[in-house]
Amino acid sequence: MTNVASMIEPTLQDVYDAQSRIEGHILRTPLRNYPVLSELLDADVWVKHENFQLLGAFKVRGGINLVSQTSQEERDRGFVTASSGNHGQSIAYAARAFGAKCTVVLPEGANTAKAASIAALGADVVFHGNVFERSKEHAEMIAERDGMRFVHAANESALIAGVGTYSIEIHEDLKDIDVLISPVGAGSGASGSCIVTDSLSPSTHVIGVQAASAPAAYHAWKSGEIEIFPMATIAEGLATESAYELPIGILRKRLTEFALVDDAAISSAIKHYVHATRTLVEHAGAASLAAAINMKESLKGKRVVLVASGGNITTDQLKAVLN
Protein backbone atom coordinates (compact mmCIF):
# COMPACT_ATOMS: atom_id res chain seq x y z
CA MET A 1 0.00 0.00 0.00
CA THR A 2 2.94 2.37 0.62
CA ASN A 3 4.45 3.71 -2.61
CA VAL A 4 8.07 3.14 -3.56
CA ALA A 5 9.10 6.78 -3.13
CA SER A 6 7.90 6.68 0.47
CA MET A 7 10.38 3.88 1.22
CA ILE A 8 13.54 5.81 0.31
CA GLU A 9 15.80 6.44 3.30
CA PRO A 10 15.79 10.17 4.07
CA THR A 11 19.03 12.14 4.15
CA LEU A 12 20.20 14.82 6.55
CA GLN A 13 19.20 17.40 3.92
CA ASP A 14 15.69 15.92 3.92
CA VAL A 15 15.54 16.52 7.66
CA TYR A 16 16.72 20.12 7.27
CA ASP A 17 14.11 20.63 4.54
CA ALA A 18 11.49 19.23 6.90
CA GLN A 19 12.62 21.65 9.59
CA SER A 20 11.87 24.55 7.24
CA ARG A 21 8.48 23.12 6.27
CA ILE A 22 7.18 22.46 9.77
CA GLU A 23 8.41 25.70 11.34
CA GLY A 24 5.37 27.65 12.44
CA HIS A 25 3.30 24.48 12.80
CA ILE A 26 5.14 22.90 15.75
CA LEU A 27 7.07 23.93 18.86
CA ARG A 28 10.82 23.86 19.37
CA THR A 29 10.85 21.82 22.56
CA PRO A 30 13.27 22.42 25.43
CA LEU A 31 16.33 20.33 26.27
CA ARG A 32 16.82 20.50 30.02
CA ASN A 33 19.34 19.28 32.55
CA TYR A 34 18.04 17.81 35.81
CA PRO A 35 20.41 17.46 38.81
CA VAL A 36 18.17 14.80 40.40
CA LEU A 37 18.35 12.60 37.29
CA SER A 38 22.07 13.28 36.96
CA GLU A 39 22.58 12.15 40.55
CA LEU A 40 20.39 9.09 39.99
CA LEU A 41 22.48 7.98 37.00
CA ASP A 42 25.84 9.42 38.09
CA ALA A 43 25.98 11.13 34.70
CA ASP A 44 25.25 14.49 33.04
CA VAL A 45 21.60 13.86 32.12
CA TRP A 46 19.47 15.97 29.77
CA VAL A 47 15.86 15.44 28.71
CA LYS A 48 14.48 16.37 25.29
CA HIS A 49 10.91 17.30 26.18
CA GLU A 50 8.82 16.14 23.25
CA ASN A 51 6.15 15.55 25.90
CA PHE A 52 5.79 19.36 25.72
CA GLN A 53 5.19 19.25 21.95
CA LEU A 54 1.85 20.19 20.39
CA LEU A 55 -0.54 17.26 20.92
CA GLY A 56 1.85 15.95 23.58
CA ALA A 57 4.18 13.94 21.32
CA PHE A 58 6.96 14.14 18.73
CA LYS A 59 4.87 12.56 15.96
CA VAL A 60 3.23 15.84 14.88
CA ARG A 61 6.52 16.82 13.26
CA GLY A 62 6.23 13.94 10.82
CA GLY A 63 2.56 14.45 10.07
CA ILE A 64 3.04 18.08 9.07
CA ASN A 65 6.08 17.27 6.95
CA LEU A 66 4.25 14.52 5.05
CA VAL A 67 0.92 16.22 4.43
CA SER A 68 2.53 19.55 3.49
CA GLN A 69 4.20 17.83 0.52
CA THR A 70 1.13 16.04 -0.83
CA SER A 71 -0.71 17.14 -3.95
CA GLN A 72 -4.10 18.81 -3.95
CA GLU A 73 -5.46 15.64 -5.54
CA GLU A 74 -4.28 13.58 -2.55
CA ARG A 75 -5.72 16.09 -0.11
CA ASP A 76 -9.05 15.99 -1.94
CA ARG A 77 -9.09 12.20 -1.59
CA GLY A 78 -8.26 12.46 2.10
CA PHE A 79 -5.93 10.49 4.34
CA VAL A 80 -6.42 7.29 6.29
CA THR A 81 -3.98 5.80 8.77
CA ALA A 82 -3.76 3.38 11.67
CA SER A 83 -2.22 4.27 14.97
CA SER A 84 -1.95 3.43 18.64
CA GLY A 85 -2.66 7.14 19.18
CA ASN A 86 0.11 9.71 18.73
CA HIS A 87 0.72 9.08 15.02
CA GLY A 88 -3.04 9.31 14.45
CA GLN A 89 -3.10 12.69 16.19
CA SER A 90 -0.29 13.91 13.95
CA ILE A 91 -2.05 12.98 10.69
CA ALA A 92 -5.38 14.36 11.93
CA TYR A 93 -3.72 17.65 12.91
CA ALA A 94 -1.86 17.95 9.61
CA ALA A 95 -4.94 17.05 7.56
CA ARG A 96 -6.92 19.78 9.30
CA ALA A 97 -4.10 22.29 8.79
CA PHE A 98 -4.12 21.62 5.04
CA GLY A 99 -7.86 21.30 4.54
CA ALA A 100 -8.12 17.54 4.04
CA LYS A 101 -10.40 14.93 5.55
CA CYS A 102 -8.89 12.19 7.65
CA THR A 103 -9.81 8.80 9.08
CA VAL A 104 -7.79 7.19 11.88
CA VAL A 105 -8.18 3.52 12.79
CA LEU A 106 -7.31 2.73 16.41
CA PRO A 107 -7.15 -0.60 18.22
CA GLU A 108 -10.09 -1.35 20.48
CA GLY A 109 -9.17 -0.21 23.98
CA ALA A 110 -6.86 2.54 22.68
CA ASN A 111 -5.69 5.37 24.94
CA THR A 112 -8.86 7.37 25.58
CA ALA A 113 -7.09 10.74 25.76
CA LYS A 114 -5.45 10.21 22.38
CA ALA A 115 -8.71 8.99 20.82
CA ALA A 116 -10.57 12.04 22.12
CA SER A 117 -7.88 14.36 20.76
CA ILE A 118 -8.04 12.76 17.30
CA ALA A 119 -11.81 13.20 17.20
CA ALA A 120 -11.53 16.80 18.41
CA LEU A 121 -9.14 17.50 15.52
CA GLY A 122 -11.96 16.61 13.13
CA ALA A 123 -10.89 13.14 12.04
CA ASP A 124 -13.23 10.19 11.78
CA VAL A 125 -12.19 7.66 14.43
CA VAL A 126 -12.71 3.96 13.76
CA PHE A 127 -11.96 1.27 16.33
CA HIS A 128 -10.93 -2.04 14.83
CA GLY A 129 -8.89 -4.99 16.06
CA ASN A 130 -7.21 -5.74 19.34
CA VAL A 131 -3.70 -4.72 18.19
CA PHE A 132 -2.17 -2.12 15.90
CA GLU A 133 -1.50 -4.55 13.05
CA ARG A 134 -5.23 -5.42 12.74
CA SER A 135 -6.02 -1.69 12.75
CA LYS A 136 -3.48 -1.17 9.97
CA GLU A 137 -5.05 -3.88 7.83
CA HIS A 138 -8.46 -2.24 8.26
CA ALA A 139 -7.06 1.19 7.35
CA GLU A 140 -5.58 -0.29 4.17
CA MET A 141 -8.98 -1.73 3.33
CA ILE A 142 -10.61 1.70 3.80
CA ALA A 143 -7.97 3.29 1.56
CA GLU A 144 -8.68 0.72 -1.16
CA ARG A 145 -12.44 1.04 -0.81
CA ASP A 146 -12.69 4.83 -0.59
CA GLY A 147 -9.68 5.90 -2.66
CA MET A 148 -7.97 7.65 0.26
CA ARG A 149 -4.22 8.15 0.66
CA PHE A 150 -3.00 5.50 3.13
CA VAL A 151 -0.29 6.76 5.46
CA HIS A 152 1.85 4.03 6.97
CA ALA A 153 2.98 4.73 10.54
CA ALA A 154 6.60 3.84 9.77
CA ASN A 155 7.33 3.14 6.10
CA GLU A 156 7.14 6.80 5.09
CA SER A 157 10.33 8.71 4.37
CA ALA A 158 8.61 12.05 5.05
CA LEU A 159 7.54 10.95 8.53
CA ILE A 160 11.09 9.94 9.46
CA ALA A 161 12.52 13.19 8.08
CA GLY A 162 9.92 15.17 10.00
CA VAL A 163 10.49 13.56 13.37
CA GLY A 164 14.23 13.71 12.79
CA THR A 165 13.98 17.45 13.38
CA TYR A 166 13.91 17.01 17.15
CA SER A 167 17.40 15.50 16.90
CA ILE A 168 18.64 18.50 14.93
CA GLU A 169 17.38 20.65 17.82
CA ILE A 170 19.19 18.42 20.32
CA HIS A 171 22.54 18.78 18.56
CA GLU A 172 22.05 22.52 18.01
CA ASP A 173 21.35 23.01 21.73
CA LEU A 174 23.99 20.71 23.24
CA LYS A 175 27.47 19.59 22.20
CA ASP A 176 29.68 16.67 23.24
CA ILE A 177 26.80 14.24 23.75
CA ASP A 178 28.05 10.75 24.52
CA VAL A 179 24.75 8.84 24.41
CA LEU A 180 21.30 9.61 23.00
CA ILE A 181 18.54 7.18 24.05
CA SER A 182 15.33 7.04 22.00
CA PRO A 183 12.21 4.88 22.43
CA VAL A 184 11.34 2.53 19.56
CA GLY A 185 7.78 1.65 18.64
CA ALA A 186 7.38 1.67 14.88
CA GLY A 187 10.88 3.18 14.79
CA SER A 188 10.55 6.55 13.06
CA GLY A 189 11.91 8.62 15.93
CA ALA A 190 15.00 6.50 16.56
CA SER A 191 15.62 6.30 12.79
CA GLY A 192 15.56 10.07 12.53
CA SER A 193 17.92 10.34 15.50
CA CYS A 194 20.37 7.97 13.81
CA ILE A 195 20.36 9.82 10.48
CA VAL A 196 20.92 13.20 12.12
CA THR A 197 23.43 12.06 14.73
CA ASP A 198 25.56 10.14 12.22
CA SER A 199 26.23 13.43 10.42
CA LEU A 200 26.16 16.06 13.16
CA SER A 201 27.77 14.15 16.02
CA PRO A 202 29.22 10.82 14.83
CA SER A 203 30.89 10.14 18.17
CA THR A 204 27.47 10.04 19.87
CA HIS A 205 26.06 6.56 20.45
CA VAL A 206 22.34 6.26 19.66
CA ILE A 207 20.59 3.61 21.72
CA GLY A 208 17.08 2.40 20.96
CA VAL A 209 14.79 0.99 23.63
CA GLN A 210 11.68 -1.13 23.32
CA ALA A 211 9.34 -2.86 25.76
CA ALA A 212 10.50 -6.40 26.56
CA SER A 213 6.93 -7.60 26.10
CA ALA A 214 6.74 -6.06 22.59
CA PRO A 215 10.18 -6.92 21.14
CA ALA A 216 9.49 -7.22 17.40
CA ALA A 217 11.80 -4.38 16.31
CA TYR A 218 14.54 -5.55 18.67
CA HIS A 219 14.54 -9.04 17.16
CA ALA A 220 14.40 -7.67 13.60
CA TRP A 221 17.36 -5.40 14.40
CA LYS A 222 19.36 -8.38 15.63
CA SER A 223 18.41 -10.90 12.95
CA GLY A 224 17.43 -8.89 9.89
CA GLU A 225 14.22 -10.92 9.70
CA ILE A 226 10.83 -9.24 10.14
CA GLU A 227 8.56 -11.59 12.07
CA ILE A 228 5.42 -11.35 14.17
CA PHE A 229 5.98 -11.38 17.93
CA PRO A 230 3.05 -11.49 20.37
CA MET A 231 3.03 -8.44 22.60
CA ALA A 232 1.33 -7.41 25.82
CA THR A 233 2.98 -4.18 26.97
CA ILE A 234 1.10 -1.40 28.77
CA ALA A 235 3.13 1.12 26.72
CA GLU A 236 0.76 1.53 23.77
CA GLY A 237 3.28 3.69 21.91
CA LEU A 238 5.63 0.68 21.82
CA ALA A 239 2.93 -1.92 21.20
CA THR A 240 3.66 -3.34 17.75
CA GLU A 241 3.70 -7.02 16.79
CA SER A 242 5.99 -6.39 13.82
CA ALA A 243 8.95 -4.31 12.74
CA TYR A 244 8.77 -2.26 9.52
CA GLU A 245 11.12 -2.33 6.57
CA LEU A 246 12.19 1.31 6.23
CA PRO A 247 12.98 2.16 9.87
CA ILE A 248 14.47 -1.24 10.69
CA GLY A 249 16.78 -0.93 7.68
CA ILE A 250 18.00 2.42 9.00
CA LEU A 251 18.38 1.13 12.56
CA ARG A 252 20.31 -1.97 11.49
CA LYS A 253 22.86 0.23 9.70
CA ARG A 254 23.12 3.05 12.20
CA LEU A 255 21.87 2.19 15.70
CA THR A 256 24.69 1.57 18.20
CA GLU A 257 22.74 -0.54 20.69
CA PHE A 258 19.21 -1.77 21.33
CA ALA A 259 17.86 -2.31 24.86
CA LEU A 260 14.73 -3.97 26.21
CA VAL A 261 12.97 -2.83 29.39
CA ASP A 262 10.07 -4.41 31.24
CA ASP A 263 6.81 -2.64 32.01
CA ALA A 264 7.62 -2.33 35.71
CA ALA A 265 10.81 -0.42 34.89
CA ILE A 266 8.87 1.87 32.55
CA SER A 267 6.27 2.61 35.25
CA SER A 268 9.04 3.34 37.74
CA ALA A 269 10.61 5.76 35.22
CA ILE A 270 7.32 7.68 34.98
CA LYS A 271 7.49 8.23 38.74
CA HIS A 272 11.12 9.37 38.46
CA TYR A 273 10.05 11.93 35.86
CA VAL A 274 7.30 13.26 38.14
CA HIS A 275 9.76 13.52 41.04
CA ALA A 276 12.76 14.91 39.15
CA THR A 277 11.18 17.05 36.42
CA ARG A 278 7.62 17.72 37.66
CA THR A 279 6.33 16.66 34.25
CA LEU A 280 4.14 13.83 32.93
CA VAL A 281 5.62 11.34 30.50
CA GLU A 282 3.62 8.49 28.98
CA HIS A 283 4.86 4.90 29.15
CA ALA A 284 6.54 4.88 25.72
CA GLY A 285 8.23 8.21 26.44
CA ALA A 286 9.57 6.97 29.78
CA ALA A 287 11.27 3.94 28.21
CA SER A 288 14.47 5.90 27.55
CA LEU A 289 14.89 6.70 31.25
CA ALA A 290 14.03 3.11 32.18
CA ALA A 291 16.80 1.90 29.88
CA ALA A 292 19.27 4.44 31.26
CA ILE A 293 18.61 3.24 34.81
CA ASN A 294 19.14 -0.38 33.72
CA MET A 295 22.47 0.47 32.06
CA LYS A 296 23.58 2.94 34.71
CA GLU A 297 27.08 1.53 35.09
CA SER A 298 27.92 1.97 31.41
CA LEU A 299 26.65 5.58 31.45
CA LYS A 300 28.62 6.71 34.50
CA GLY A 301 30.27 10.09 33.94
CA LYS A 302 28.86 10.52 30.43
CA ARG A 303 26.67 13.20 28.90
CA VAL A 304 23.35 11.50 28.20
CA VAL A 305 20.24 12.76 26.39
CA LEU A 306 16.95 11.01 27.07
CA VAL A 307 14.11 11.50 24.58
CA ALA A 308 10.83 11.92 26.46
CA SER A 309 8.86 11.25 23.29
CA GLY A 310 5.35 11.87 24.60
CA GLY A 311 3.25 12.90 27.57
CA ASN A 312 -0.19 11.54 26.71
CA ILE A 313 -0.82 9.46 29.80
CA THR A 314 -4.42 9.04 30.95
CA THR A 315 -5.50 9.75 34.51
CA ASP A 316 -6.24 6.05 35.02
CA GLN A 317 -2.77 5.11 33.77
CA LEU A 318 -1.16 7.68 36.05
CA LYS A 319 -3.15 6.45 39.05
CA ALA A 320 -2.03 2.89 38.35
CA VAL A 321 1.61 3.99 38.16
CA LEU A 322 1.51 6.06 41.33
CA ASN A 323 -0.27 3.32 43.26
Side-chain angles (χ1 to χ4, degrees):
M1 293 292 297
T2 305
N3 63 51
V4 173
S6 297
M7 293 287 286
I8 297 172
E9 179 179 324
T11 65
L12 179 66
Q13 186 58 53
D14 291 328
V15 184
Y16 275 117
D17 290 345
Q19 190 176 42
S20 297
R21 276 187 212 100
I22 69 177
E23 188 178 9
H25 291 282
I26 61 100
L27 303 177
R28 185 185 180 102
T29 55
L31 179 68
R32 292 180 179 166
N33 177 254
Y34 291 98
V36 173
L37 290 182
S38 295
E39 183 178 10
L40 173 69
L41 295 174
D42 197 13
D44 182 23
V45 180
W46 296 73
V47 177
K48 178 59 170 172
H49 277 291
E50 286 296 285
N51 57 322
F52 293 176
Q53 186 53 263
L54 294 180
L55 309 178
F58 76 104
K59 294 278 192 178
V60 68
R61 298 171 179 267
I64 287 289
N65 189 49
L66 185 147
V67 175
S68 68
Q69 297 179 76
T70 56
S71 66
Q72 188 59 52
E73 184 267 338
E74 285 179 297
R75 295 175 194 177
D76 290 343
R77 289 193 286 126
F79 300 92
V80 59
T81 194
S83 174
S84 62
N86 286 333
H87 165 70
Q89 287 192 98
S90 81
I91 301 303
Y93 177 83
R96 187 178 72 169
F98 290 92
K101 62 182 179 179
C102 178
T103 297
V104 178
V105 184
L106 299 172
E108 295 159 4
N111 179 305
T112 54
K114 295 175 184 178
S117 174
I118 292 167
L121 289 165
D124 293 328
V125 177
V126 176
F127 293 94
H128 183 90
N130 62 333
V131 295
F132 167 77
E133 276 70 23
R134 304 297 83 73
S135 303
K136 179 178 73 69
E137 291 164 4
H138 191 67
E140 289 174 322
M141 183 278 292
I142 292 173
E144 184 82 17
R145 182 192 69 196
D146 298 343
M148 302 177 81
R149 162 59 155 99
F150 174 69
V151 181
H152 196 287
N155 286 336
E156 298 274 4
S157 179
L159 292 183
I160 293 173
V163 300
T165 58
Y166 76 66
S167 293
I168 286 180
E169 294 174 8
I170 289 171
H171 292 295
E172 286 177 344
D173 290 348
L174 188 67
K175 304 303 178 187
D176 302 319
I177 300 167
D178 296 302
V179 178
L180 191 161
I181 307 180
S182 175
V184 178
S188 61
S191 297
S193 291
C194 286
I195 290 166
V196 170
T197 302
D198 265 7
S199 295
L200 298 187
S201 183
S203 64
T204 300
H205 289 179
V206 180
I207 298 175
V209 54
Q210 189 167 51
S213 51
Y218 170 81
H219 287 295
W221 177 77
K222 287 181 72 73
S223 70
E225 299 295 325
I226 293 178
E227 301 176 273
I228 298 296
F229 281 84
M231 60 84 193
T233 181
I234 57 176
E236 73 268 3
L238 307 180
T240 57
E241 284 186 335
S242 175
Y244 303 101
E245 295 84 354
L246 180 58
I248 209 66
I250 296 168
L251 295 178
R252 292 201 80 224
K253 286 191 295 183
R254 300 176 184 270
L255 191 69
T256 306
E257 188 178 342
F258 206 139
L260 294 176
V261 292
D262 61 34
D263 283 2
I266 292 172
S267 294
S268 178
I270 293 172
K271 289 192 284 187
H272 280 298
Y273 270 122
V274 171
H275 172 65
T277 74
R278 306 298 193 270
T279 67
L280 297 180
V281 181
E282 65 185 86
H283 289 82
S288 51
L289 176 56
I293 293 170
N294 284 354
M295 59 179 67
K296 176 178 175 178
E297 287 304 312
S298 67
L299 299 178
K300 185 175 181 179
K302 295 181 178 178
R303 175 167 284 179
V304 179
V305 173
L306 308 175
V307 178
S309 56
N312 292 315
I313 187 168
T314 68
T315 52
D316 286 343
Q317 287 173 331
L318 184 60
K319 287 176 185 176
V321 165
L322 296 178
N323 290 335

